[in-house]
Amino acid sequence: MSDGASKVRGEGLSKTDVGRYILRELNGYHRPGKILDLIPVITDPEGSWLLTVEWVDTPVDQGEVKGLKVKFADTVTLTDSSTAAPIPGTAAAELAGDGSEAESRRGDISTTRWTKLTQSGEHENGMTETVMVRAENFTPSHVGKFIGNSDPESGVNYLIKLLNFRVVNEGSAPGVTMWIRHGEIDGRPRYDDRWHVPFDQEFEFTTITAL
Protein backbone atom coordinates (compact mmCIF):
# COMPACT_ATOMS: atom_id res chain seq x y z
CA MET A 1 0.00 0.00 0.00
CA SER A 2 1.24 3.51 -0.79
CA ASP A 3 3.00 5.73 1.75
CA GLY A 4 0.76 7.92 3.89
CA ALA A 5 -2.29 5.74 3.28
CA SER A 6 -5.19 5.75 5.73
CA LYS A 7 -8.57 4.05 5.82
CA VAL A 8 -11.70 6.18 6.33
CA ARG A 9 -15.41 5.56 6.18
CA GLY A 10 -17.33 7.18 3.38
CA GLU A 11 -19.20 9.40 5.82
CA GLY A 12 -15.85 10.88 6.85
CA LEU A 13 -15.05 12.22 3.37
CA SER A 14 -15.31 15.96 2.77
CA LYS A 15 -14.36 18.67 0.28
CA THR A 16 -10.98 18.88 1.99
CA ASP A 17 -10.15 15.50 0.41
CA VAL A 18 -10.23 16.98 -3.09
CA GLY A 19 -6.71 16.64 -4.48
CA ARG A 20 -5.91 13.52 -2.46
CA TYR A 21 -5.74 10.05 -3.96
CA ILE A 22 -8.12 7.16 -3.37
CA LEU A 23 -6.81 3.60 -3.79
CA ARG A 24 -8.50 0.62 -5.36
CA GLU A 25 -7.37 -2.77 -6.64
CA LEU A 26 -7.45 -3.31 -10.38
CA ASN A 27 -5.90 -6.18 -12.33
CA GLY A 28 -3.45 -7.02 -9.56
CA TYR A 29 -2.33 -3.45 -8.83
CA HIS A 30 -3.02 -0.86 -6.14
CA ARG A 31 -4.18 1.98 -8.41
CA PRO A 32 -4.43 5.54 -7.05
CA GLY A 33 -6.95 8.01 -8.42
CA LYS A 34 -6.92 11.75 -7.77
CA ILE A 35 -10.19 13.06 -6.36
CA LEU A 36 -11.21 15.98 -8.59
CA ASP A 37 -14.59 16.60 -7.02
CA LEU A 38 -17.14 15.00 -4.71
CA ILE A 39 -20.79 15.83 -4.26
CA PRO A 40 -23.39 14.30 -1.93
CA VAL A 41 -26.08 12.11 -3.48
CA ILE A 42 -29.14 13.65 -1.86
CA THR A 43 -31.47 11.00 -3.28
CA ASP A 44 -29.69 8.20 -1.39
CA PRO A 45 -31.44 7.69 1.98
CA GLU A 46 -28.40 5.79 3.34
CA GLY A 47 -26.01 8.58 2.34
CA SER A 48 -23.36 8.48 -0.35
CA TRP A 49 -20.91 10.59 -2.37
CA LEU A 50 -20.40 10.79 -6.13
CA LEU A 51 -16.68 11.27 -6.76
CA THR A 52 -15.00 12.36 -9.96
CA VAL A 53 -11.67 10.51 -10.00
CA GLU A 54 -8.68 10.76 -12.31
CA TRP A 55 -7.16 7.28 -12.19
CA VAL A 56 -3.42 7.03 -12.91
CA ASP A 57 -1.74 4.74 -15.44
CA THR A 58 -0.64 1.25 -14.42
CA PRO A 59 1.48 -1.13 -16.52
CA VAL A 60 -1.74 -2.75 -17.79
CA ASP A 61 -4.34 0.06 -17.71
CA GLN A 62 -4.35 3.56 -19.15
CA GLY A 63 -5.33 6.55 -17.03
CA GLU A 64 -8.92 7.74 -17.20
CA VAL A 65 -11.41 10.06 -15.52
CA LYS A 66 -14.49 8.26 -14.17
CA GLY A 67 -17.23 8.67 -11.60
CA LEU A 68 -17.16 6.60 -8.43
CA LYS A 69 -20.00 6.20 -5.95
CA VAL A 70 -18.94 5.79 -2.32
CA LYS A 71 -21.56 4.98 0.30
CA PHE A 72 -21.24 6.50 3.77
CA ALA A 73 -20.95 2.95 5.16
CA ASP A 74 -18.08 2.01 2.79
CA THR A 75 -14.45 2.02 3.89
CA VAL A 76 -11.98 3.57 1.44
CA THR A 77 -8.23 4.07 1.45
CA LEU A 78 -6.81 7.58 0.95
CA THR A 79 -3.20 8.39 0.17
CA ASP A 80 -1.02 11.31 -0.87
CA SER A 81 0.94 9.16 -3.33
CA SER A 82 0.16 9.05 -7.05
CA THR A 83 2.26 5.94 -7.73
CA ALA A 84 0.62 2.65 -8.73
CA ALA A 85 2.16 -0.52 -7.28
CA PRO A 86 1.59 -4.24 -7.80
CA ILE A 87 -0.26 -6.06 -5.05
CA PRO A 88 2.28 -7.84 -2.81
CA GLY A 89 2.62 -11.55 -3.54
CA THR A 90 1.74 -11.23 -7.23
CA ALA A 91 4.01 -12.00 -10.17
CA ALA A 92 4.15 -8.31 -11.08
CA ALA A 93 5.42 -7.51 -7.58
CA GLU A 94 8.18 -10.10 -8.00
CA LEU A 95 9.19 -8.55 -11.31
CA ALA A 96 9.22 -5.07 -9.78
CA GLY A 97 11.35 -6.30 -6.89
CA ASP A 98 14.42 -7.42 -8.82
CA GLY A 99 13.76 -6.21 -12.34
CA SER A 100 14.32 -9.65 -13.80
CA GLU A 101 12.09 -12.32 -15.26
CA ALA A 102 12.12 -15.89 -14.06
CA GLU A 103 12.63 -18.39 -16.84
CA SER A 104 9.47 -19.99 -18.16
CA ARG A 105 9.02 -23.67 -17.47
CA ARG A 106 8.39 -24.66 -21.06
CA GLY A 107 6.63 -27.79 -22.15
CA ASP A 108 6.45 -29.30 -25.62
CA ILE A 109 6.09 -26.50 -28.18
CA SER A 110 3.83 -27.01 -31.19
CA THR A 111 4.66 -24.87 -34.24
CA THR A 112 2.35 -24.15 -37.19
CA ARG A 113 3.29 -22.11 -40.26
CA TRP A 114 0.43 -20.46 -42.13
CA THR A 115 -0.45 -18.22 -45.06
CA LYS A 116 -3.56 -16.09 -45.38
CA LEU A 117 -4.94 -13.81 -48.06
CA THR A 118 -5.38 -10.20 -46.90
CA GLN A 119 -8.18 -7.87 -48.01
CA SER A 120 -5.73 -6.15 -50.35
CA GLY A 121 -5.09 -9.45 -52.13
CA GLU A 122 -1.60 -9.98 -50.70
CA HIS A 123 -0.40 -13.13 -49.00
CA GLU A 124 0.66 -12.85 -45.35
CA ASN A 125 2.88 -15.53 -43.83
CA GLY A 126 3.24 -16.27 -40.16
CA MET A 127 4.01 -18.84 -37.51
CA THR A 128 2.04 -19.81 -34.41
CA GLU A 129 3.74 -21.43 -31.43
CA THR A 130 1.67 -23.00 -28.67
CA VAL A 131 2.74 -24.61 -25.40
CA MET A 132 0.60 -26.09 -22.62
CA VAL A 133 1.41 -24.80 -19.13
CA ARG A 134 -0.15 -25.89 -15.84
CA ALA A 135 -1.16 -23.06 -13.53
CA GLU A 136 1.23 -24.34 -10.86
CA ASN A 137 4.11 -23.79 -13.33
CA PHE A 138 3.36 -20.15 -14.09
CA THR A 139 6.36 -17.84 -13.62
CA PRO A 140 6.56 -14.02 -13.81
CA SER A 141 7.81 -14.39 -17.38
CA HIS A 142 4.30 -15.49 -18.38
CA VAL A 143 2.89 -12.07 -17.45
CA GLY A 144 1.97 -10.15 -20.60
CA LYS A 145 1.69 -13.29 -22.73
CA PHE A 146 -1.40 -14.61 -24.49
CA ILE A 147 -3.55 -17.68 -23.88
CA GLY A 148 -5.86 -19.35 -26.37
CA ASN A 149 -9.54 -19.28 -25.41
CA SER A 150 -12.94 -19.92 -26.98
CA ASP A 151 -16.17 -17.94 -26.63
CA PRO A 152 -18.84 -20.42 -25.42
CA GLU A 153 -21.72 -18.61 -27.17
CA SER A 154 -20.25 -18.05 -30.64
CA GLY A 155 -17.56 -20.72 -30.62
CA VAL A 156 -15.04 -18.14 -31.84
CA ASN A 157 -11.41 -18.73 -30.84
CA TYR A 158 -9.57 -15.69 -29.52
CA LEU A 159 -6.71 -14.70 -27.20
CA ILE A 160 -6.71 -13.52 -23.61
CA LYS A 161 -3.77 -11.64 -22.09
CA LEU A 162 -2.36 -12.62 -18.69
CA LEU A 163 -2.02 -9.31 -16.82
CA ASN A 164 -0.90 -10.67 -13.45
CA PHE A 165 -1.29 -13.68 -11.19
CA ARG A 166 -0.89 -14.75 -7.59
CA VAL A 167 -0.35 -18.21 -6.12
CA VAL A 168 -2.73 -18.96 -3.24
CA ASN A 169 -1.62 -21.84 -1.02
CA GLU A 170 -3.77 -21.15 2.03
CA GLY A 171 -7.52 -21.19 2.61
CA SER A 172 -10.25 -23.52 1.41
CA ALA A 173 -9.53 -23.05 -2.31
CA PRO A 174 -5.79 -23.19 -3.03
CA GLY A 175 -4.83 -22.42 -6.60
CA VAL A 176 -3.81 -19.51 -8.80
CA THR A 177 -5.64 -16.18 -9.10
CA MET A 178 -5.31 -14.74 -12.61
CA TRP A 179 -6.03 -11.21 -13.77
CA ILE A 180 -6.78 -11.41 -17.50
CA ARG A 181 -7.95 -9.31 -20.45
CA HIS A 182 -10.28 -10.91 -23.01
CA GLY A 183 -9.59 -9.90 -26.60
CA GLU A 184 -12.23 -8.23 -28.76
CA ILE A 185 -14.36 -10.38 -31.04
CA ASP A 186 -17.24 -9.49 -33.38
CA GLY A 187 -20.14 -8.12 -31.37
CA ARG A 188 -18.24 -8.00 -28.07
CA PRO A 189 -15.60 -5.50 -26.90
CA ARG A 190 -12.56 -6.50 -24.91
CA TYR A 191 -13.03 -6.75 -21.13
CA ASP A 192 -11.06 -7.53 -17.98
CA ASP A 193 -11.76 -10.49 -15.74
CA ARG A 194 -10.34 -12.41 -12.80
CA TRP A 195 -10.16 -16.19 -12.58
CA HIS A 196 -9.20 -18.46 -9.71
CA VAL A 197 -8.14 -21.87 -11.02
CA PRO A 198 -6.77 -25.12 -9.52
CA PHE A 199 -3.05 -25.76 -9.72
CA ASP A 200 -3.44 -28.58 -12.26
CA GLN A 201 -5.47 -26.60 -14.81
CA GLU A 202 -3.63 -26.29 -18.13
CA PHE A 203 -3.54 -23.27 -20.43
CA GLU A 204 -2.41 -22.97 -24.03
CA PHE A 205 0.06 -20.09 -24.28
CA THR A 206 0.17 -18.80 -27.84
CA THR A 207 2.75 -16.71 -29.70
CA ILE A 208 2.00 -15.45 -33.22
CA THR A 209 4.91 -14.22 -35.33
CA ALA A 210 4.78 -12.63 -38.78
CA LEU A 211 7.33 -14.03 -41.23
Side-chain angles (χ1 to χ4, degrees):
M1 191 176 296
S2 300
D3 293 340
S6 60
K7 292 184 179 294
V8 299
R9 284 173 60 89
E11 62 185 354
L13 294 173
S14 70
K15 287 286 187 179
T16 61
D17 293 312
V18 172
R20 296 196 70 191
Y21 291 83
I22 187 169
L23 278 180
R24 73 166 181 173
E25 292 187 3
L26 180 68
N27 292 326
Y29 288 82
H30 288 305
R31 187 190 197 188
K34 188 176 184 179
I35 301 174
L36 303 179
D37 193 16
L38 73 166
I39 58 175
V41 181
I42 60 176
T43 56
D44 186 348
E46 297 180 356
S48 61
W49 296 98
L50 182 61
L51 280 62
T52 303
V53 182
E54 183 179 12
W55 298 103
V56 306
D57 291 341
T58 76
V60 296
D61 289 286
Q62 293 184 337
E64 59 185 347
V65 176
K66 294 184 68 174
L68 176 68
K69 187 176 182 180
V70 177
K71 290 185 173 294
F72 283 0
D74 292 341
T75 299
V76 298
T77 301
L78 297 179
T79 179
D80 295 317
S81 172
S82 61
T83 303
I87 295 173
T90 63
E94 185 175 337
L95 287 173
D98 59 18
S100 63
E101 293 189 1
E103 182 180 353
S104 299
R105 298 173 192 170
R106 301 174 67 86
D108 294 330
I109 299 176
S110 174
T111 302
T112 303
R113 292 179 180 267
W114 46 265
T115 299
K116 70 177 181 179
L117 187 66
T118 66
Q119 291 182 344
S120 62
E122 298 179 351
H123 288 86
E124 181 178 290
N125 299 313
M127 180 176 67
T128 300
E129 290 184 342
T130 59
V131 59
M132 300 302 296
V133 181
R134 288 162 64 104
E136 64 184 347
N137 291 330
F138 284 179
T139 72
S141 64
H142 289 109
V143 171
K145 295 192 170 144
F146 293 90
I147 298 170
N149 198 42
S150 178
D151 180 63
E153 295 184 1
S154 65
V156 172
N157 295 322
Y158 67 99
L159 297 176
I160 60 177
K161 186 176 184 179
L162 180 61
L163 304 176
N164 203 353
F165 72 88
R166 176 169 55 193
V167 176
V168 180
N169 290 307
E170 65 280 352
S172 59
V176 177
T177 298
M178 305 167 57
W179 288 270
I180 59 175
R181 176 165 293 152
H182 293 261
E184 179 181 358
I185 60 176
D186 289 341
R188 194 206 67 195
R190 77 175 193 180
Y191 69 97
D192 295 342
D193 200 359
R194 183 170 68 175
W195 291 349
H196 184 74
V197 300
F199 287 123
D200 61 357
Q201 183 159 335
E202 288 191 317
F203 294 90
E204 183 183 62
F205 278 84
T206 302
T207 302
I208 299 175
T209 307
L211 299 176

